[in-house]
Amino acid sequence: MSQLTTGHLLRRAKDLADGGGDREFRQVVRQIAAAADARELLSLARIVDARTTPPPADRRVRVALAGSFTTDLLGRILRMALLRCGVDAQVDIHGIGQYGRLLADPSSELHLSAPDFVVLAVHHDELGLPADSADPDREVAAEVARWRGLWDRAAGPGGARVVHWLFALPDDLALSSFSAQQPGSRYRMARRVNAALADAANPDVLVVDCERLASSVGAASWFDRRTWRLAKQPMATEVLPLLATETAGLIAADLGLSKKCLVLDLDNTVWGGTIGEDGLDGLVLGGDAGEGHLDLQRLALRLRDSGIVLAVCSKNNPEDARLPFREHPDMLLTLDDISVFSAGWEPKAVQLRRIAEELGIGVDALVLVDDDPVERAQVRELLPEVDVVDLPTSSGDYAHTLRRYPLLWQVRSTEADAGRAESYRARAAAGRLLEESPGLDDFYRSLEMTGAFLPVDDVSRPRAVQLLMKTNQFNVTTRRHTAAELDRLLAEPGAVHFTARLTDRFTSHGLVGLLLARRTGEVVAIDTWLLSCRVIGRTVEDSMFHTLAERAAADGARAIEGSYLPTAKNVPVAELYRRLGFDLVRCDPDGATHWRYDLSGAGRPARNPFITEGQ
């Protein structure tokens, strides 16, 4: 982004700070934070701080920044990086080098502030390793144990999430290349500590790989002796936005704010050239001019494997747009990799809405990658909920730019991620089947659905946590339980819990639902009830309610109670309890409703006729 463009956007942000619309302000902030340098991000921070109202955001959290160096600049830049990701954070800066004392003392100001996240922003000088050791295994084990102990103390009684920076290692940590061959050298041990900490990170610890980040810009650019002497900041100010983006991306992913669908333009994006004018033989793929397009395709495939759904949005004749996928020998992407393929001459904003509808997700779950700045500007104007990635001029840098986009990252991998793209393809196929079916009941029967409803266990727990953080539409309370909070709930004597898995004639959708409840006396109270958006409209909720009612009654309960806590996105479940036969007990001024279902007599719900229960 040029200085002129950044300056223009900063002026626009200042104009919108209090007098403009929140949607446009949020979009401008995203554009600035995506490309600005440290100085411009600090200018943006001043504009945001000057607002009399909180900036628009999806989540509001408190972050404790406990560092081994001066973190004032980092804290302000981190706040802007988080805001880019939809997180309004209060970032508390704690004293330089005080993290050990603050974490060890339960009554310290850090713990009393009850942070949602504790960022351990530490650098290589904090490694408690000797210059050389005759027993490197013992030294490495002791150092890893020390940091793991700090993680436990950082989480505290409130179950804060921990973000730990692995150690970027300066070149002078090694005397020569021979240090890499010496097991007892400080350099070799430091590398082992990094690897061991990454392996030891549990679901409640997020790891920032600072060594990888430093290597991406070069150690000479990463470390700055001058800023260390003057301000006790070991890394150059210029790399703080990169560090902040990486940290913010992990936090946003942990909060369930990652985007679900990467939407790709075709001409001059997925391939070089224009299929409608240049024809199949005229497309540029591979070689010096076209390698960047293949790099983008490789990255798209990696994202698909991680659980990101791929879609196409192209202004082209539909058959022309599909031709390279079928016949070009150098194409890496295939039509089977694309969950929704949209090609035509409608405005891209219209096509993007249709893509979201076919996938059953919100338009705010889409990310558009398009080489044309005019198309990008039009989408931002007509459909500001869609996040748009500004591609550089050179196609050789496309993949690098997208790789740095923080809202496509995952912090945990589950079995459902690998099958997500196929599940959405199956959803689209089911949608076409619905159009051909004479009635809804016939459609449900034709899907040949099988469901499994089993307690949360060690295998299903990671996916359950993922659903808790990410599910918005079918989620009656939108309570964002952390892994630690989920464990505590599961361990309660009166806990009732199970997951839902679904398979149909098209695919296995994996673990798609979760229900958490507590039994107190003769009442089972629902704490959380959610379903993945890709199986909404399949009657899975009816089977889940039947399962809950059967288990509650078998345990002696006489009633089930549940609440609907409204959000901007969970309107689809506003009438869920009423539809299932619950009685309305109370309505709160904020729109929350409270419901009760009598399990006595003939009030038990019938088994769902459209889903066969299996294992």
Side-chain angles (χ1 to χ4, degrees), residues 521-532:
E522 295 184 338
V523 174
V524 170
I526 297 171
D527 174 275
T528 297
W529 189 355
L530 55 82
L531 274 175
S532 169

Side-chain angles (χ1 to χ4, degrees), residues 69-70 96 123 125 223-236:
F69 56 89
T70 303
I96 177 172
H123 71 298
D125 280 352
F223 297 100
D224 191 326
R225 294 183 179 86
R226 181 172 177 273
T227 59
W228 178 249
R229 290 196 306 270
L230 296 178
K232 288 295 177 282
Q233 178 183 290
M235 68 284 298

Side-chain angles (χ1 to χ4, degrees), residues 22 25-26 29-30 44-45 47-64 75-92 114-117 248-249 251-252 255 257 407:
D22 276 355
F25 181 77
R26 182 172 181 171
V29 167
R30 284 196 313 226
L44 178 62
I47 293 171
V48 172
D49 290 343
R51 282 176 60 105
T52 57
T53 57
D58 298 312
R59 300 285 181 85
R60 304 196 188 277
V61 301
R62 189 161 193 161
V63 176
R76 292 175 66 77
I77 292 173
L78 176 60
R79 187 178 177 220
M80 294 304 99
L82 284 165
L83 197 56
R84 174 195 180 188
C85 296
V87 181
D88 178 27
Q90 178 174 328
V91 180
D92 298 322
D116 300 289
F117 292 87
I251 290 174
L255 290 170
L257 297 178
L407 287 176

Side-chain angles (χ1 to χ4, degrees), residues 71-385:
T71 56
D72 298 76
L73 289 181
L74 172 65
R76 292 175 66 77
I77 292 173
L78 176 60
R79 187 178 177 220
M80 294 304 99
L82 284 165
L83 197 56
R84 174 195 180 188
C85 296
V87 181
D88 178 27
Q90 178 174 328
V91 180
D92 298 322
I93 308 296
H94 293 280
I96 177 172
Q98 299 297 307
Y99 62 91
R101 175 189 65 81
L102 292 168
L103 298 180
D105 181 4
S107 63
S108 70
E109 58 269 32
L110 185 152
H111 285 301
L112 290 177
S113 68
D116 300 289
F117 292 87
V118 176
V119 179
L120 282 173
V122 290
H123 71 298
H124 64 278
D125 280 352
E126 299 303 298
L127 282 164
L129 297 170
D132 189 67
S133 173
D135 191 354
D137 291 345
R138 181 178 62 81
E139 296 288 352
V140 169
E143 186 64 8
V144 171
R146 182 170 75 90
W147 289 106
R148 293 186 68 177
L150 286 171
W151 294 349
D152 291 339
R153 290 192 285 275
R161 307 285 278 167
V162 179
V163 183
H164 181 90
W165 285 9
L166 298 181
F167 302 96
L169 306 177
D171 57 0
D172 60 7
L173 198 66
L175 290 175
S176 68
S177 294
F178 184 56
S179 296
Q181 297 177 259
Q182 296 178 293
S185 70
R186 181 178 171 85
Y187 172 73
R188 175 79 172 268
M189 289 188 291
R191 294 184 63 185
R192 287 181 59 190
V193 167
N194 271 343
L197 287 175
D199 289 341
N202 58 52
D204 294 318
V205 177
L206 311 175
V207 169
V208 177
D209 189 355
C210 295
E211 180 71 357
R212 177 182 62 83
L213 296 179
S215 67
S216 72
V217 300
S221 298
W222 183 271
F223 297 100
D224 191 326
R225 294 183 179 86
R226 181 172 177 273
T227 59
W228 178 249
R229 290 196 306 270
L230 296 178
K232 288 295 177 282
Q233 178 183 290
M235 68 284 298
T237 300
E238 289 74 17
V239 304
L240 292 182
L242 177 60
L243 256 172
T245 297
E246 191 85 5
T247 304
L250 290 177
I251 290 174
D254 190 66
L255 290 170
L257 297 178
S258 298
K259 302 299 182 180
K260 296 180 179 178
C261 178
L262 175 64
V263 184
L264 297 165
D265 171 54
L266 296 180
D267 291 336
N268 293 310
T269 301
V270 166
W271 53 66
T274 304
I275 182 63
E277 297 179 2
D278 301 321
L280 196 65
D281 294 338
L283 298 186
V284 180
L285 279 169
D288 292 340
E291 190 61 31
H293 299 290
L294 290 182
D295 286 343
L296 181 62
Q297 291 189 39
R298 291 187 188 98
L299 178 57
L301 287 170
R302 291 176 62 187
L303 290 169
R304 181 188 185 276
D305 290 343
S306 75
I308 300 298
V309 178
L310 301 183
V312 159
C313 181
S314 173
K315 283 189 174 178
N316 256 311
N317 292 322
E319 285 306 308
D320 288 344
R322 286 180 169 84
L323 184 64
F325 289 87
R326 293 182 176 130
E327 298 187 17
H328 200 291
D330 295 325
M331 279 288 292
L332 302 177
L333 287 168
T334 70
L335 289 175
D336 287 341
D337 297 318
I338 308 301
S339 294
V340 177
F341 197 105
S342 177
W345 298 104
E346 297 169 299
K348 288 200 170 178
V350 174
Q351 294 191 53
L352 289 166
R353 282 193 183 279
R354 188 165 56 243
I355 288 170
E357 289 171 3
E358 192 163 343
L359 291 173
I361 59 179
V363 291
D364 60 349
L366 306 179
V367 179
L368 175 66
V369 173
D370 194 317
D371 72 294
D372 190 337
V374 175
E375 293 287 359
R376 298 197 300 260
Q378 187 178 72
V379 169
R380 285 189 173 116
E381 178 68 25
L382 299 177
L383 205 57
E385 297 91 345

